[in-house]
Amino acid sequence: SAFAGDRSAILIAAAEYFATMSLPAPWADVVAQADRLKSTHLRELLKDQARNDSMFVGCGDVVLDYSRERVDAAAMDKLFALAAAADVDGKRKKMFEGVKINETEGRSVLHVALRAARDTVIESDGANVVPEVWGVLDAMKAFSEQVRSGAWTGYTGKKLTDVVAIGIGGSYLGVEFVY
């Protein structure tokens, strides 16, 4: 990706794209922040220790350090305001509750079920989907172990040494491909 090395470039590109459009206030505020920071070098931002210290978020043993992004407190305030205006928290809650928020496929987005513990309950259409997810995960693990151990062989009866996986994408089709 053209933006792989500089994530702030994504914000700048979005700002440039949306600059000619009439935007809701929260988007316009984010665009204005991107424009303001566009010519600011990251080295300048990193000189502000208070800024840097404010850009660490921790949860357990995981620490997110976003001090190396081209943002400051004002830009983050505008991004948080945009997230609030877009109801990101409400949408996240709906995702965890199994509400059908994938409008394209008319189904729940169950990414959280893929990472849920076996005893977690995540319902979609009135049914707990976690046991089914764990059934697929267990089948994938069993298949993987068979390939690694040599119990699953190729057409010639020889142990597989290489696997080529061609991804077809899609929230549903990816699981079908593996299973």
Side-chain angles (χ1 to χ4, degrees):
S1 166
F3 300 115
D6 183 6
R7 290 184 192 101
S8 60
I10 294 171
L11 184 59
I12 292 167
E16 291 170 352
Y17 175 77
F18 290 116
T20 60
M21 300 174 71
S22 175
L23 301 173
W27 263 116
D29 291 345
V30 169
V31 168
Q33 292 299 315
D35 285 342
R36 180 180 62 80
L37 290 167
K38 189 175 189 177
S39 63
T40 304
H41 197 283
L42 183 57
R43 277 183 291 222
E44 292 304 311
L45 294 171
L46 289 172
K47 289 178 183 177
D48 182 351
Q49 193 58 48
R51 171 202 167 272
N52 300 340
D53 292 344
S54 72
M55 295 188 171
F56 284 83
V57 179
C59 181
D61 292 334
V62 177
V63 176
L64 169 65
D65 169 8
Y66 59 98
S67 65
R68 270 113 182 118
E69 299 299 327
R70 199 181 324 173
V71 294
D72 59 12
M76 292 307 300
D77 287 345
K78 299 302 181 186
L79 285 167
F80 289 132
L82 175 60
D87 191 27
V88 170
D89 283 339
K91 291 174 181 170
R92 181 190 58 79
K93 183 179 180 198
K94 287 179 180 179
M95 178 181 66
F96 276 89
E97 291 173 348
V99 174
K100 293 181 180 181
I101 60 173
N102 178 335
E103 295 175 9
T104 303
E105 297 178 16
R107 44 190 268 144
S108 304
V109 293
L110 299 170
H111 306 82
V112 294
L114 291 172
R115 293 160 185 87
R118 284 185 190 271
D119 60 349
T120 303
V121 175
I122 299 174
E123 291 190 358
S124 179
D125 292 329
N128 182 10
V129 298
V130 175
E132 183 180 352
V133 167
W134 271 97
V136 172
L137 292 173
D138 289 340
M140 290 169 58
K141 181 179 180 182
F143 173 72
S144 299
E145 288 174 349
Q146 286 180 324
V147 170
R148 288 185 190 107
S149 71
W152 186 281
T153 59
Y155 176 76
T156 62
K158 294 180 182 176
K159 180 179 175 179
L160 300 177
T161 59
D162 300 286
V163 175
V164 177
I166 301 171
I168 57 175
S171 60
Y172 179 73
L173 296 176
V175 175
E176 288 293 309
F177 168 74
V178 172
Y179 195 57

